[in-house]
Amino acid sequence: MRVLFTVFAAKTHLYNLVPMAWALRSAGHQVCIASQPDLMDAVCGSGLTGLPVGDELRMGGGSRGPTAQTFQGVSGDMVWADPEDLGWEKALGAFTVGCSVQYEYFAGGAMLDELVEFARDWQPDLVIWDALTFAGAIAARACGAAHARMLFGLDYVSRTYQRYRELLLRQPPERRDDPVSDWLRGRLDRYGLDFEEPDALELMTGQWSIDPTPPGMQFPLGLRYVPVRQVPYNGPASVPDWIHERRTRPRVALSLGMSGRDLMGGDTISVERLLAGLADFDIELVATLSAVQLASVSALPDHVRAVEFVPLNELLPTCAAVIHHGGFGTVVNVLTHGVPNLTVPAPWWDEADLGRHIAERGAGLVVAPEALGPDTLRTGLARLLNEPSFAEGAARVRDELLAVPSPHDLVPTIEALTAEHRTRR
């Protein structure tokens, strides 16, 4: 069968799709990944076929739209602990801005036009779309393909959309503004497609969702989820010789992720303060820091090895602990290798919740950025290195993760679901 993946131009979101795309490709299916032109080098670097659609997104540099503000806006009213925290005005505001600004920025009209044109010509059997790239669902409807979301972390969108629909039905008829249905209706009408109210849930949440979220971290939403074990993919890279050198001190990794420095305009915590807080530890600290991040550091302690990039999938098996920002790609690498870890959550999406889940499982600790100081940092790292319970907790989570079906194992399920849901025969 033919499978079209769609994703907006962010490497971390692409890397989340690559293992599933390669599993389908290796099973003999034709695979193509569509995104804005500025992601094509990364797509081709993965060994897969890329399709440039629309204009460059240019997140993180000279962007025509919001970057950090967009991600914070997407997550702002999506992250709540109790349903009562999200009233009707906040829910309405979240999706009004989401549909008209944020989702349109990630995959706007020019991208959608070219994507639909390609889908009608190439006739994919299945469209798998990144969970913020709603253009994929519209393209699937336009060509009669089945379609599924690929989640990139906790499913805040579906949880909040279900709450939004619940609150919408409580409103008097004259106040039932529904920007989501209006937005979807307009997108379908653009291509001569009909919209009925039940269509909204499918177009927002997929006919089913491929869910790489680690076991025990999902929301109980009653939607059709197909769990998959996320195989870490860190992009094309070579392994430096020093990774496998004999070590006389414990190795600790420090990773603040790619999104903060590449897309969001910088980190939300001080790199110099992090390094200074660890200056007197008898460890080898491998810090993945760019030249811009290092420019804020007056001097590197002797035990710090600063590298702009190193594949975490190769580095982490050599580490006794990890300090990280809680991004989903980093968390997958950390949990896959069973490394005790300290999360200092970034504010972009589910970093705080993922850190909390890891801590609750006994696999690590979480420290809020505003509470981070030299004492909390040193105390946390000392516990990770010296208390065996954290290594034991990390090993338990790793074993649970490795028991989830791999992308390869999932291919027959995807084939069956595609046959069930596609409307073009």
Side-chain angles (χ1 to χ4, degrees):
M1 63 185 184
R2 291 178 174 177
V3 184
L4 174 63
F5 285 78
T6 67
V7 60
F8 71 97
K11 285 184 181 179
T12 51
H13 285 245
L14 167 67
Y15 289 0
N16 183 57
L17 300 174
V18 167
M20 193 70 251
W22 259 115
L24 288 160
R25 181 72 182 89
S26 299
H29 300 297
Q30 297 182 57
V31 172
C32 181
I33 298 183
S35 184
Q36 287 95 350
D38 39 332
L39 195 66
M40 286 301 104
D41 285 347
V43 174
C44 295
S46 74
L48 293 160
T49 300
L51 171 73
V53 285
D55 304 320
E56 287 192 349
L57 192 62
R58 292 183 289 165
M59 290 189 71
S63 173
R64 293 165 290 111
T67 53
Q69 295 85 355
T70 296
F71 270 94
Q72 288 182 298
V74 167
S75 65
D77 290 324
M78 301 280 177
V79 183
W80 40 271
D82 187 304
E84 297 306 316
D85 294 340
L86 187 69
W88 171 239
E89 297 300 329
K90 285 184 69 176
L92 177 62
F95 283 108
T96 299
V97 175
C99 293
S100 63
V101 178
Q102 294 152 355
Y103 306 152
E104 278 293 320
Y105 170 60
F106 291 138
M111 177 183 183
L112 183 57
D113 286 344
E114 294 182 24
L115 189 64
V116 168
E117 181 180 6
F118 174 78
R120 284 176 163 171
D121 179 64
W122 194 55
Q123 294 286 290
D125 300 283
L126 171 65
V127 178
I128 297 177
W129 46 283
D130 164 82
L132 284 178
T133 313
F134 298 97
I138 304 297
R141 177 66 65 88
C143 69
H147 66 95
R149 287 186 309 161
M150 182 78 182
L151 298 181
F152 56 84
L154 300 182
D155 195 2
Y156 290 136
V157 171
S158 292
R159 184 181 66 157
T160 303
Y161 185 58
Q162 286 193 3
R163 174 68 174 162
Y164 164 86
R165 287 163 60 92
E166 172 191 330
L167 294 170
L168 176 64
L169 294 176
R170 296 182 189 175
Q171 305 309 305
E174 68 274 11
R175 293 195 59 199
R176 288 184 187 168
D177 296 326
D178 187 359
V180 177
S181 293
D182 292 344
W183 178 64
L184 293 170
R185 183 182 291 107
R187 286 185 143 209
L188 290 174
D189 185 64
R190 188 183 183 106
Y191 309 106
L193 303 170
D194 295 330
F195 174 83
E196 296 181 7
E197 200 55 44
D199 294 337
L201 181 63
E202 178 188 302
L203 294 172
M204 290 296 290
T205 64
Q207 292 171 326
W208 74 92
S209 298
I210 302 170
D211 188 1
T213 312
M217 299 185 184
Q218 297 87 352
F219 297 128
L221 299 177
L223 298 172
R224 191 168 192 175
Y225 291 97
V226 179
V228 66
R229 181 173 82 244
Q230 186 62 303
V231 177
Y233 172 72
N234 306 138
S238 58
V239 181
D241 292 341
W242 57 261
I243 279 188
H244 299 295
E245 290 176 353
R246 291 177 61 88
R247 297 178 301 281
T248 59
R249 296 179 292 182
R251 176 177 285 171
V252 175
L254 170 63
S255 175
L256 301 180
M258 294 190 298
S259 295
R261 70 189 194 188
D262 294 345
L263 303 179
M264 310 301 184
D267 302 302
T268 57
I269 56 177
S270 166
V271 173
E272 183 165 34
R273 187 170 62 165
L274 277 173
L275 297 181
L278 300 173
D280 57 354
F281 258 84
D282 187 25
I283 58 173
E284 177 197 355
L285 182 66
V286 179
T288 56
L289 300 170
S290 68
V292 173
Q293 289 170 309
L294 286 173
S296 67
V297 179
S298 56
L300 280 178
D302 292 339
H303 68 297
V304 175
R305 184 192 296 272
V307 293
E308 180 159 357
F309 175 80
V310 60
L312 290 180
N313 196 44
E314 308 301 328
L315 172 64
L316 293 183
T318 72
C319 291
V322 188
I323 301 167
H324 62 92
H325 69 302
F328 187 73
T330 300
V331 166
V332 167
N333 277 273
V334 169
L335 298 183
T336 296
H337 295 292
V339 187
N341 57 102
L342 174 65
T343 306
V344 185
W348 314 126
W349 188 250
D350 54 1
E351 294 87 353
D353 275 343
L354 290 176
R356 177 178 55 81
H357 279 299
I358 293 170
E360 288 174 351
R361 298 301 309 279
L365 299 168
V366 59
V367 177
E370 59 272 18
L372 184 68
D375 291 340
T376 54
L377 182 60
R378 286 195 293 266
T379 299
L381 182 57
R383 291 189 63 195
L384 295 180
L385 294 174
N386 297 313
E387 296 181 22
S389 64
F390 291 107
E392 294 164 0
R396 284 194 301 271
V397 175
R398 176 199 61 206
D399 292 344
E400 291 177 5
L401 191 63
L402 294 178
V404 176
S406 71
H408 169 79
D409 298 330
L410 201 62
V411 169
T413 300
I414 289 178
E415 293 168 342
L417 288 168
T418 299
E420 175 186 341
H421 286 283
R422 68 185 170 204
T423 57
R424 187 188 72 254
R425 303 297 176 186

